[in-house]
Short mmCIF file of all heavy atoms in Angstrom, two decimals:
data_model
loop_
_atom_site.label_atom_id
_atom_site.label_comp_id
_atom_site.label_asym_id
_atom_site.label_seq_id
_atom_site.Cartn_x
_atom_site.Cartn_y
_atom_site.Cartn_z
N SER A 1 0.84 -1.20 0.00
CA SER A 1 0.01 -0.01 0.01
C SER A 1 0.86 1.24 -0.01
O SER A 1 0.59 2.22 -0.72
CB SER A 1 -0.91 -0.01 1.22
OG SER A 1 -1.67 1.17 1.29
N TRP A 2 1.93 1.21 0.80
CA TRP A 2 2.84 2.37 0.82
C TRP A 2 3.51 2.59 -0.53
O TRP A 2 3.62 3.70 -1.05
CB TRP A 2 3.91 2.15 1.90
CG TRP A 2 5.00 3.20 1.87
CD1 TRP A 2 4.95 4.45 2.42
CD2 TRP A 2 6.27 3.09 1.21
NE1 TRP A 2 6.12 5.13 2.16
CE2 TRP A 2 6.95 4.33 1.42
CE3 TRP A 2 6.91 2.08 0.48
CZ2 TRP A 2 8.22 4.56 0.90
CZ3 TRP A 2 8.16 2.32 -0.03
CH2 TRP A 2 8.81 3.54 0.18
N PHE A 3 3.99 1.49 -1.13
CA PHE A 3 4.69 1.57 -2.40
C PHE A 3 3.76 2.10 -3.49
O PHE A 3 4.13 2.98 -4.29
CB PHE A 3 5.24 0.20 -2.80
CG PHE A 3 6.00 0.23 -4.11
CD1 PHE A 3 7.33 0.61 -4.16
CD2 PHE A 3 5.37 -0.13 -5.29
CE1 PHE A 3 8.01 0.66 -5.36
CE2 PHE A 3 6.05 -0.08 -6.49
CZ PHE A 3 7.36 0.30 -6.53
N PHE A 4 2.53 1.54 -3.56
CA PHE A 4 1.61 1.91 -4.63
C PHE A 4 1.07 3.34 -4.47
O PHE A 4 0.59 3.92 -5.42
CB PHE A 4 0.47 0.93 -4.69
CG PHE A 4 0.86 -0.46 -5.16
CD1 PHE A 4 0.17 -1.57 -4.72
CD2 PHE A 4 1.92 -0.63 -6.01
CE1 PHE A 4 0.54 -2.85 -5.13
CE2 PHE A 4 2.30 -1.90 -6.45
CZ PHE A 4 1.62 -3.02 -5.97
N SER A 5 1.16 3.89 -3.27
CA SER A 5 0.59 5.22 -3.04
C SER A 5 1.64 6.32 -2.97
O SER A 5 1.28 7.50 -2.87
CB SER A 5 -0.22 5.22 -1.75
OG SER A 5 0.63 4.93 -0.63
N ARG A 6 2.91 5.99 -3.04
CA ARG A 6 3.94 7.03 -2.97
C ARG A 6 4.18 7.61 -4.36
O ARG A 6 4.04 6.91 -5.38
CB ARG A 6 5.25 6.49 -2.38
CG ARG A 6 6.04 5.58 -3.28
CD ARG A 6 7.21 4.95 -2.57
NE ARG A 6 8.01 4.10 -3.44
CZ ARG A 6 9.13 4.48 -4.02
NH1 ARG A 6 9.57 5.69 -3.82
NH2 ARG A 6 9.79 3.65 -4.80
N PRO A 7 4.56 8.89 -4.47
CA PRO A 7 4.78 9.54 -5.78
C PRO A 7 5.93 8.86 -6.52
O PRO A 7 6.93 8.46 -5.93
CB PRO A 7 5.14 10.97 -5.41
CG PRO A 7 4.54 11.18 -4.06
CD PRO A 7 4.65 9.86 -3.36
N LEU A 8 5.76 8.74 -7.83
CA LEU A 8 6.81 8.14 -8.64
C LEU A 8 7.96 9.14 -8.85
O LEU A 8 7.72 10.35 -8.96
CB LEU A 8 6.23 7.76 -10.02
CG LEU A 8 5.16 6.66 -10.01
CD1 LEU A 8 4.48 6.58 -11.38
CD2 LEU A 8 5.77 5.32 -9.64
N PRO A 9 9.19 8.63 -8.94
CA PRO A 9 10.35 9.52 -9.13
C PRO A 9 10.52 9.86 -10.61
O PRO A 9 11.26 9.19 -11.36
CB PRO A 9 11.53 8.68 -8.64
CG PRO A 9 11.08 7.27 -8.90
CD PRO A 9 9.60 7.23 -8.74
N LEU A 10 9.84 10.89 -11.10
CA LEU A 10 9.87 11.26 -12.50
C LEU A 10 11.22 11.86 -12.89
O LEU A 10 11.78 12.65 -12.13
CB LEU A 10 8.76 12.26 -12.80
CG LEU A 10 7.33 11.84 -12.46
CD1 LEU A 10 6.36 12.93 -12.87
CD2 LEU A 10 6.97 10.52 -13.13
N PRO A 11 11.75 11.49 -14.06
CA PRO A 11 13.02 12.10 -14.51
C PRO A 11 12.88 13.56 -14.88
O PRO A 11 13.85 14.31 -14.92
CB PRO A 11 13.39 11.24 -15.74
CG PRO A 11 12.10 10.70 -16.22
CD PRO A 11 11.25 10.49 -15.00
N ARG A 12 11.66 14.00 -15.17
CA ARG A 12 11.34 15.39 -15.50
C ARG A 12 9.83 15.58 -15.25
O ARG A 12 9.08 14.60 -15.22
CB ARG A 12 11.70 15.76 -16.92
CG ARG A 12 11.01 14.88 -17.96
CD ARG A 12 11.42 15.23 -19.38
NE ARG A 12 10.77 14.34 -20.34
CZ ARG A 12 11.22 13.19 -20.72
NH1 ARG A 12 12.40 12.74 -20.24
NH2 ARG A 12 10.57 12.44 -21.60
N ALA A 13 9.41 16.82 -15.10
CA ALA A 13 7.98 17.08 -14.91
C ALA A 13 7.57 18.20 -15.88
O ALA A 13 8.18 19.27 -15.89
CB ALA A 13 7.73 17.47 -13.47
N PRO A 14 6.54 17.99 -16.69
CA PRO A 14 5.82 16.72 -16.77
C PRO A 14 6.65 15.67 -17.55
O PRO A 14 7.45 16.01 -18.42
CB PRO A 14 4.56 17.07 -17.57
CG PRO A 14 5.00 18.21 -18.42
CD PRO A 14 5.95 19.01 -17.59
N TYR A 15 6.48 14.42 -17.17
CA TYR A 15 7.11 13.31 -17.89
C TYR A 15 6.15 12.85 -19.00
O TYR A 15 4.99 12.57 -18.74
CB TYR A 15 7.41 12.14 -16.95
CG TYR A 15 7.83 10.88 -17.63
CD1 TYR A 15 9.09 10.75 -18.18
CD2 TYR A 15 6.94 9.81 -17.75
CE1 TYR A 15 9.48 9.57 -18.82
CE2 TYR A 15 7.31 8.64 -18.40
CZ TYR A 15 8.59 8.54 -18.94
OH TYR A 15 8.96 7.38 -19.58
N ASP A 16 6.64 12.85 -20.23
CA ASP A 16 5.78 12.50 -21.35
C ASP A 16 6.30 11.26 -22.06
O ASP A 16 7.51 11.05 -22.18
CB ASP A 16 5.70 13.66 -22.37
CG ASP A 16 7.09 14.15 -22.81
OD1 ASP A 16 7.69 13.54 -23.71
OD2 ASP A 16 7.57 15.14 -22.21
N PHE A 17 5.38 10.43 -22.49
CA PHE A 17 5.75 9.24 -23.25
C PHE A 17 4.55 8.82 -24.09
O PHE A 17 3.41 9.22 -23.84
CB PHE A 17 6.19 8.11 -22.33
CG PHE A 17 5.11 7.57 -21.43
CD1 PHE A 17 4.48 6.37 -21.72
CD2 PHE A 17 4.73 8.24 -20.30
CE1 PHE A 17 3.49 5.87 -20.89
CE2 PHE A 17 3.75 7.76 -19.46
CZ PHE A 17 3.10 6.57 -19.74
N THR A 18 4.83 8.01 -25.12
CA THR A 18 3.78 7.58 -26.03
C THR A 18 3.69 6.07 -26.01
O THR A 18 4.71 5.38 -26.06
CB THR A 18 4.07 8.07 -27.47
OG1 THR A 18 4.10 9.49 -27.48
CG2 THR A 18 3.00 7.59 -28.44
N VAL A 19 2.48 5.56 -25.96
CA VAL A 19 2.21 4.12 -26.09
C VAL A 19 1.64 3.86 -27.45
O VAL A 19 0.56 4.35 -27.77
CB VAL A 19 1.21 3.66 -24.99
CG1 VAL A 19 0.89 2.18 -25.16
CG2 VAL A 19 1.76 3.93 -23.60
N SER A 20 2.40 3.20 -28.28
CA SER A 20 1.95 2.94 -29.65
C SER A 20 0.95 1.75 -29.67
O SER A 20 0.88 0.95 -28.73
CB SER A 20 3.15 2.59 -30.54
OG SER A 20 3.88 1.52 -30.03
N GLY A 21 0.18 1.69 -30.75
CA GLY A 21 -0.79 0.63 -30.89
C GLY A 21 -0.13 -0.74 -30.85
O GLY A 21 0.92 -0.96 -31.45
N GLY A 22 -0.73 -1.70 -30.14
CA GLY A 22 -0.17 -3.02 -30.04
C GLY A 22 0.81 -3.21 -28.91
O GLY A 22 1.32 -4.30 -28.70
N SER A 23 1.12 -2.14 -28.18
CA SER A 23 2.08 -2.25 -27.06
C SER A 23 1.48 -3.10 -25.94
O SER A 23 0.27 -3.06 -25.70
CB SER A 23 2.45 -0.88 -26.54
OG SER A 23 3.12 -0.11 -27.48
N THR A 24 2.33 -3.83 -25.24
CA THR A 24 1.89 -4.61 -24.09
C THR A 24 2.22 -3.84 -22.82
O THR A 24 3.13 -2.98 -22.80
CB THR A 24 2.59 -5.97 -24.05
OG1 THR A 24 4.01 -5.76 -23.89
CG2 THR A 24 2.32 -6.75 -25.32
N LEU A 25 1.52 -4.18 -21.74
CA LEU A 25 1.80 -3.52 -20.46
C LEU A 25 3.23 -3.80 -20.00
O LEU A 25 3.89 -2.93 -19.48
CB LEU A 25 0.80 -3.98 -19.41
CG LEU A 25 0.97 -3.35 -18.03
CD1 LEU A 25 0.72 -1.85 -18.09
CD2 LEU A 25 0.03 -3.99 -17.02
N SER A 26 3.68 -5.03 -20.19
CA SER A 26 5.04 -5.36 -19.77
C SER A 26 6.08 -4.55 -20.55
O SER A 26 7.10 -4.14 -20.00
CB SER A 26 5.30 -6.85 -19.94
OG SER A 26 5.11 -7.26 -21.27
N GLY A 27 5.81 -4.34 -21.84
CA GLY A 27 6.72 -3.53 -22.64
C GLY A 27 6.76 -2.10 -22.16
O GLY A 27 7.83 -1.47 -22.08
N VAL A 28 5.60 -1.54 -21.83
CA VAL A 28 5.54 -0.17 -21.32
C VAL A 28 6.26 -0.12 -19.96
O VAL A 28 6.99 0.83 -19.68
CB VAL A 28 4.08 0.29 -21.18
CG1 VAL A 28 4.02 1.65 -20.48
CG2 VAL A 28 3.43 0.37 -22.57
N ALA A 29 6.05 -1.13 -19.12
CA ALA A 29 6.69 -1.14 -17.82
C ALA A 29 8.21 -1.17 -17.94
O ALA A 29 8.94 -0.53 -17.17
CB ALA A 29 6.21 -2.37 -17.02
N ARG A 30 8.70 -1.93 -18.92
CA ARG A 30 10.17 -1.98 -19.13
C ARG A 30 10.70 -0.63 -19.58
O ARG A 30 11.76 -0.19 -19.11
CB ARG A 30 10.51 -3.05 -20.17
CG ARG A 30 10.38 -4.48 -19.67
CD ARG A 30 11.03 -5.47 -20.61
NE ARG A 30 10.38 -5.47 -21.91
CZ ARG A 30 9.36 -6.26 -22.23
NH1 ARG A 30 8.85 -7.08 -21.33
NH2 ARG A 30 8.82 -6.24 -23.44
N ARG A 31 9.95 0.07 -20.42
CA ARG A 31 10.40 1.40 -20.85
C ARG A 31 10.41 2.36 -19.69
O ARG A 31 11.34 3.17 -19.54
CB ARG A 31 9.48 1.90 -21.94
CG ARG A 31 9.82 3.30 -22.40
CD ARG A 31 8.89 3.83 -23.44
NE ARG A 31 9.16 5.24 -23.70
CZ ARG A 31 8.43 6.02 -24.50
NH1 ARG A 31 7.42 5.49 -25.15
NH2 ARG A 31 8.70 7.29 -24.65
N LEU A 32 9.37 2.31 -18.86
CA LEU A 32 9.31 3.22 -17.71
C LEU A 32 10.43 2.93 -16.72
O LEU A 32 10.96 3.83 -16.06
CB LEU A 32 7.95 3.09 -17.03
CG LEU A 32 6.74 3.55 -17.82
CD1 LEU A 32 5.44 3.25 -17.07
CD2 LEU A 32 6.85 5.04 -18.13
#
């Protein structure tokens, strides 16, 4: 609960990224 509710350490704010069509959640997680 603590981990899921704490703010993420963004490399910049706002942090922007694009999820292309057909991407999987695991692939996005690896990129993040």
Side-chain angles (χ1 to χ4, degrees):
S1 177
W2 172 82
F3 180 84
F4 292 150
S5 62
R6 72 188 182 98
L8 295 169
L10 304 181
R12 57 182 178 272
Y15 169 74
D16 53 83
F17 66 102
T18 299
V19 177
S20 57
S23 296
T24 63
L25 181 64
S26 59
V28 173
R30 286 194 296 271
R31 176 182 172 185
L32 294 175

